[in-house]
Amino acid sequence: MRTVDWVGGKVRFLDQTRLPFEEVYVETDDPDVLADAIGKLQIRGAPAIGVAAAFGVLLAVSPSQPSSAQDLPRRYLEVCDSLGATRPTAVNLFNALDRMRSVIRAASAAGGSELYNALLQEALAIQQEDVIACKRIGELGADLLTRRAAVLTHCNAGALATAGEGTALAVIKAAARQGKIDRVFVDETRPLLQGARLTSWELVREGIPVTLITDSTAGSVLRSQTVQAVIVGADRIAAIGDVANKIGTYPLAVLAREHGVQFIVAAPVSTIDVHTASGNLIPIEERNPAEVTHLAGIRIAAPGVDVFAPAFDVTPNYLISAIVTDKGVLMPPLGDALRRISVSA
Amino acid sequence: MRTVDWVGGKVRFLDQTRLPFEEVYVETDDPDVLADAIGKLQIRGAPAIGVAAAFGVLLAVSPSQPSSAQDLPRRYLEVCDSLGATRPTAVNLFNALDRMRSVIRAASAAGGSELYNALLQEALAIQQEDVIACKRIGELGADLLTRRAAVLTHCNAGALATAGEGTALAVIKAAARQGKIDRVFVDETRPLLQGARLTSWELVREGIPVTLITDSTAGSVLRSQTVQAVIVGADRIAAIGDVANKIGTYPLAVLAREHGVQFIVAAPVSTIDVHTASGNLIPIEERNPAEVTHLAGIRIAAPGVDVFAPAFDVTPNYLISAIVTDKGVLMPPLGDALRRISVSA
């Protein structure tokens, strides 16, 4: 399964809003369609958004409508900007676009096909690096699980969220192959139910036992002492190790500490944002209230209520047992560990 | 609004599964229909279930089919048993039925109409006591809120859950009348959305500002330091002060303590179960998995997953700042306070 791919000069993606009931792949050569798909969460997950955006830049110039050479860099840069305006929190998006912008600037004097090829190589590199990062995260993270027991995860940090096997789910899948996973408790993850729809679907396909719970059942599950680790992905990791991730991650981290359960964040280094000092500086996207008040087009809430619908929350570094990256496992103090990894990168 | 009432020899109740979109009152003289309504959560909320069950006992003997006098007590007791088998956690149900059983035993030698009248008086007393209890809880609880600020509640502990103004919502409504409520954050309360459907509806009708959030957004809201108290109801309070309440209450209590926010439980003394020593001995109902995997009849979860669907969780006494009862506000150590109130009752 390739969540996002470059096929025949188009971006091909699996429409995640229709999972788990329909597997519909969409192909587009229109950057606006792609930006819209990211905004609507047809493509979602921090690493997958980065890969999609990188491919999306290639759609700036239509092969059927050749432009003058001096126009090209400007048009590519404009599409970088419009893709960058889709979602504010996941830093992989901005990191991928920054890499594409660097290529545009470096190759702007070259001809159209040379610039295009340089951009294509960069986008494919971003994709391939993520595949490798997922694999490495899985291997490193599985080592943190020392016995056969249950784990708990939130949202979807799986193949659907990345170019590879996932981040948190790569750890769980690798650990399952090593016989360390009894069962995965999956938070349904309101409002958009990525746990119920996507993570459950991925794990059932892998033959890993899954128990779906409502988000607020996690407290009872962690209290039952059957869970050895909570493992989640990340949308942005600040310099001191605070982690922005799907709304509901922070309460899980508090509950994990309350019950002496390790709280593991799994993310590629492309999710680290050394330019954002701490979590309170990470921009938190607020979603459309209708995502809370409606489900499948049906109103489920009383008319007349206000809604507060942040898509993410921030887990402070002191609640995190380890951050598993493709460049190594970071242990507290996370700020120091992140500084070391950034220097060596 | 009377959630459950005795009207013309029948039980009349508001079907809460159809709120907030339709206000449908159902009248029945069939105790099986009433038991089914409790099981399906058409009638819900610990005090309201107790009141409904008390009235339901009166339906054991049809006025149109007179029985022999010696049959009557047995038939009333049978209906007590069937009503008692509907839901295991809320102790108000059992307390109300125990009171009805006592009347049956005391008046069993009397004629049919005398027994019926004694049972009717007892059921009306249970209802009236709850109305008064709600009022007193509101007054006592409002005193715990010392400034104008936001509060947060979970599920529905309002007029819909009681015979009166509610428990947690009685506190909030009384405090609002005193100008102490800026805004009420309401957890939607998955899976059955009592917060989104019922509490939001009640508070909008009262003209109190409501902000609906998903359950896992409560962590971010409490962290924002705008909330002065979390206020919830209870389904059963064990002798040492552990509280069973709607699933998701326990994580809220942990988060409230994390942020120095007082965690207030509001419940009538009929919710106290001195015969259950501690929270781990409270039977926790598990609901049908379809309540998690489906919403409004639509499947929302991937096929093939297991589901863990407890309806309640237990909040240990050390996380509770105060229990507001109709007989006074209980402060820690809650076991001692509960012992004192039981002795004086």
Side-chain angles (χ1 to χ4, degrees), chain B residues 10 17 46 60 79 92 111 120 122 154 175 190 213 223 228 247 249-250 266 278 312 317 343:
Chain B
K10 296 183 177 182
T17 62
V79 167
N92 314 59
L120 178 57
E122 189 70 4
H154 188 70
R190 281 281 292 155
I213 55 174
R223 205 176 178 197
Q228 66 179 320
I247 189 75
T249 301
Y250 168 61
S278 63
F312 305 96
N317 57 7
V343 170

Side-chain angles (χ1 to χ4, degrees), chain A residues 248-299:
Chain A
T249 302
Y250 167 62
L252 274 182
V254 172
L255 289 162
R257 189 195 48 184
E258 179 79 1
H259 295 293
V261 173
Q262 58 180 332
F263 187 83
I264 299 171
V265 174
V269 291
S270 58
T271 307
I272 299 168
D273 177 14
V274 293
H275 305 296
T276 296
S278 63
N280 60 323
L281 299 172
I282 297 174
I284 299 297
E285 176 182 11
E286 288 195 32
R287 302 283 304 173
N288 186 334
E291 292 183 356
V292 176
T293 57
H294 291 67
L295 200 126
I298 300 168
R299 185 164 184 106

Side-chain angles (χ1 to χ4, degrees), chain B residues 179-190:
Chain B
K180 292 176 181 170
I181 302 290
D182 243 4
R183 176 159 296 276
V184 183
F185 287 97
V186 176
D187 282 356
E188 63 174 358
T189 317
R190 281 281 292 155

Side-chain angles (χ1 to χ4, degrees), chain A residues 20-21 154 183 185 188 190-191 193 196-197 200-201 204 210-217 219-221 223 247-248 250-251 254-255 257-259 292-293 295-296 298-308 310 312-316 318-319, chain B residues 20-21 154 183 185 188 190-191 193 196-197 200-201 204 210-217 219-221 223 247-248 250-251 254-255 257-259 292-293 295-296 298-308 310 312-316 318-319:
Chain A
F21 307 110
H154 188 72
R183 178 160 292 279
F185 287 96
E188 63 174 358
R190 282 280 293 153
L193 299 166
R197 294 189 300 108
S200 297
W201 181 76
V204 168
V210 189
T211 296
L212 178 65
I213 56 174
T214 63
D215 301 325
S216 65
T217 305
S220 297
V221 169
R223 206 176 175 198
I247 188 77
Y250 167 62
V254 172
L255 289 162
R257 189 195 48 184
E258 179 79 1
H259 295 293
V292 176
T293 57
L295 200 126
I298 300 168
R299 185 164 184 106
I300 55 174
V305 290
D306 298 328
V307 173
F308 175 50
F312 305 96
D313 60 23
V314 173
T315 299
Y318 57 83
L319 294 174
Chain B
F21 308 109
H154 188 70
R183 176 159 296 276
F185 287 97
E188 63 174 358
R190 281 281 292 155
L193 299 167
R197 294 189 301 108
S200 298
W201 180 76
V204 167
V210 188
T211 296
L212 178 65
I213 55 174
T214 64
D215 301 326
S216 66
T217 305
S220 297
V221 170
R223 205 176 178 197
I247 189 75
Y250 168 61
V254 173
L255 288 163
R257 189 195 47 185
E258 179 80 1
H259 295 291
V292 176
T293 57
L295 201 126
I298 301 168
R299 185 163 185 107
I300 55 174
V305 290
D306 299 327
V307 173
F308 175 51
F312 305 96
D313 60 23
V314 173
T315 300
Y318 56 83
L319 294 174

Side-chain angles (χ1 to χ4, degrees), chain A residues 4-326:
Chain A
V4 186
D5 212 353
W6 181 253
V7 178
K10 295 182 177 183
V11 178
R12 181 172 190 266
F13 64 88
L14 180 55
D15 179 352
Q16 298 192 37
T17 62
R18 297 170 77 165
L19 285 175
F21 307 110
E22 296 179 291
E23 282 181 55
V24 177
Y25 285 87
V26 178
E27 289 191 1
T28 185
D29 58 6
D30 182 341
D32 292 335
V33 169
L34 191 74
D36 194 49
I38 294 171
K40 283 180 180 162
L41 277 56
Q42 293 176 314
I43 305 167
R44 48 148 295 286
I49 292 173
V51 171
F55 287 136
V57 175
L58 291 163
L59 304 178
V61 179
S62 166
S64 60
Q65 296 185 309
S67 316
S68 65
Q70 60 268 44
D71 259 7
L72 286 176
R74 184 183 52 76
R75 292 187 46 198
Y76 281 121
L77 289 170
E78 278 170 6
V79 167
C80 286
D81 290 346
S82 73
L83 288 165
T86 51
R87 300 197 68 198
T89 304
V91 78
N92 313 60
L93 173 65
F94 306 107
N95 285 341
L97 291 172
D98 280 349
R99 286 176 62 173
M100 298 301 279
R101 284 192 189 94
S102 295
V103 171
I104 295 165
R105 292 195 187 102
S108 66
S113 69
E114 196 171 323
L115 175 54
Y116 178 89
N117 284 333
L119 287 169
L120 179 57
Q121 288 316 307
E122 188 71 5
L124 290 169
I126 289 170
Q127 178 186 41
Q128 191 53 29
E129 287 165 26
D130 193 55
V131 173
I132 294 166
C134 288
K135 190 164 182 306
R136 188 71 186 132
I137 287 168
E139 293 162 354
L140 291 171
D143 289 343
L144 296 177
L145 305 180
T146 52
R147 59 191 172 104
R148 182 177 179 87
V151 296
L152 189 150
T153 190
H154 188 72
C155 197
N156 175 269
L160 293 167
T162 63
E165 230 184 2
T167 53
L169 289 196
V171 173
I172 291 170
K173 291 170 190 173
R177 289 190 287 266
Q178 297 170 15
K180 291 177 183 170
I181 303 289
D182 245 1
R183 178 160 292 279
V184 183
F185 287 96
V186 176
D187 282 356
E188 63 174 358
T189 317
R190 282 280 293 153
L192 295 179
L193 299 166
Q194 292 92 338
R197 294 189 300 108
L198 308 179
T199 298
S200 297
W201 181 76
E202 270 196 62
L203 293 176
V204 168
R205 276 164 62 114
E206 297 273 335
I208 299 172
V210 189
T211 296
L212 178 65
I213 56 174
T214 63
D215 301 325
S216 65
T217 305
S220 297
V221 169
L222 290 172
R223 206 176 175 198
S224 71
Q225 300 296 334
T226 59
V227 172
Q228 65 179 320
V230 174
I231 313 177
V232 298
D235 287 82
R236 189 185 299 217
I237 301 172
I240 63 168
D242 298 345
V243 169
N245 191 48
K246 178 57 53 194
I247 188 77
T249 302
Y250 167 62
L252 274 182
V254 172
L255 289 162
R257 189 195 48 184
E258 179 79 1
H259 295 293
V261 173
Q262 58 180 332
F263 187 83
I264 299 171
V265 174
V269 291
S270 58
T271 307
I272 299 168
D273 177 14
V274 293
H275 305 296
T276 296
S278 63
N280 60 323
L281 299 172
I282 297 174
I284 299 297
E285 176 182 11
E286 288 195 32
R287 302 283 304 173
N288 186 334
E291 292 183 356
V292 176
T293 57
H294 291 67
L295 200 126
I298 300 168
R299 185 164 184 106
I300 55 174
V305 290
D306 298 328
V307 173
F308 175 50
F312 305 96
D313 60 23
V314 173
T315 299
N317 58 6
Y318 57 83
L319 294 174
I320 299 168
S321 311
I323 298 178
V324 181
T325 78
D326 46 315

Side-chain angles (χ1 to χ4, degrees), chain B:
Chain B
M1 177 180 65
R2 281 275 170 132
T3 298
V4 185
D5 212 352
W6 181 253
V7 178
K10 296 183 177 182
V11 178
R12 179 172 192 266
F13 63 88
L14 180 55
D15 179 352
Q16 299 192 36
T17 62
R18 298 170 76 166
L19 285 175
F21 308 109
E22 295 178 292
E23 280 180 57
V24 177
Y25 284 87
V26 178
E27 289 191 1
T28 184
D29 58 5
D30 183 341
D32 293 335
V33 169
L34 191 72
D36 194 50
I38 294 171
K40 283 179 178 162
L41 278 57
Q42 293 177 311
I43 304 167
R44 49 148 295 285
I49 292 173
V51 172
F55 287 135
V57 174
L58 292 163
L59 304 178
V61 180
S62 165
S64 59
Q65 297 184 307
S67 316
S68 66
Q70 58 267 47
D71 260 7
L72 285 176
R74 185 183 51 76
R75 291 186 49 199
Y76 281 121
L77 290 169
E78 279 171 5
V79 167
C80 286
D81 291 346
S82 74
L83 288 165
T86 50
R87 300 196 69 197
T89 303
V91 79
N92 314 59
L93 174 65
F94 307 107
N95 285 342
L97 291 172
D98 281 349
R99 287 176 62 172
M100 299 301 278
R101 284 190 188 95
S102 296
V103 171
I104 295 165
R105 292 194 186 102
S108 65
S113 69
E114 196 171 323
L115 175 53
Y116 178 90
N117 284 333
L119 287 169
L120 178 57
Q121 289 316 308
E122 189 70 4
L124 290 170
I126 290 170
Q127 179 186 40
Q128 192 52 29
E129 287 166 26
D130 193 54
V131 173
I132 294 166
C134 289
K135 190 165 182 306
R136 188 70 184 133
I137 287 168
E139 293 162 354
L140 290 171
D143 288 343
L144 297 176
L145 305 179
T146 52
R147 58 191 173 104
R148 182 176 181 88
V151 296
L152 188 149
T153 190
H154 188 70
C155 196
N156 174 268
L160 293 166
T162 63
E165 231 185 1
T167 52
L169 289 197
V171 174
I172 291 169
K173 291 170 191 173
R177 288 190 288 266
Q178 297 171 14
K180 292 176 181 170
I181 302 290
D182 243 4
R183 176 159 296 276
V184 183
F185 287 97
V186 176
D187 282 356
E188 63 174 358
T189 317
R190 281 281 292 155
L192 295 179
L193 299 167
Q194 291 91 338
R197 294 189 301 108
L198 308 180
T199 298
S200 298
W201 180 76
E202 269 195 64
L203 293 176
V204 167
R205 276 163 62 113
E206 297 274 334
I208 298 172
V210 188
T211 296
L212 178 65
I213 55 174
T214 64
D215 301 326
S216 66
T217 305
S220 297
V221 170
L222 290 172
R223 205 176 178 197
S224 71
Q225 300 296 335
T226 58
V227 172
Q228 66 179 320
V230 174
I231 312 176
V232 297
D235 287 82
R236 190 184 299 216
I237 301 171
I240 64 167
D242 299 345
V243 169
N245 191 48
K246 178 57 53 196
I247 189 75
T249 301
Y250 168 61
L252 273 183
V254 173
L255 288 163
R257 189 195 47 185
E258 179 80 1
H259 295 291
V261 173
Q262 58 180 333
F263 186 84
I264 299 171
V265 174
V269 291
S270 58
T271 307
I272 298 168
D273 177 13
V274 293
H275 305 295
T276 296
S278 63
N280 58 324
L281 299 172
I282 298 174
I284 299 297
E285 176 183 10
E286 288 194 30
R287 301 285 302 174
N288 186 336
E291 292 183 355
V292 176
T293 57
H294 291 68
L295 201 126
I298 301 168
R299 185 163 185 107
I300 55 174
V305 290
D306 299 327
V307 173
F308 175 51
F312 305 96
D313 60 23
V314 173
T315 300
N317 57 7
Y318 56 83
L319 294 174
I320 298 167
S321 312
I323 298 179
V324 182
T325 79
D326 45 316
K327 304 298 181 200
V329 176
L330 313 184
M331 304 298 283
L334 292 171
D336 295 346
L338 283 160
R339 237 185 330 272
R340 277 196 298 275
I341 210 172
S342 305
V343 170
S344 70

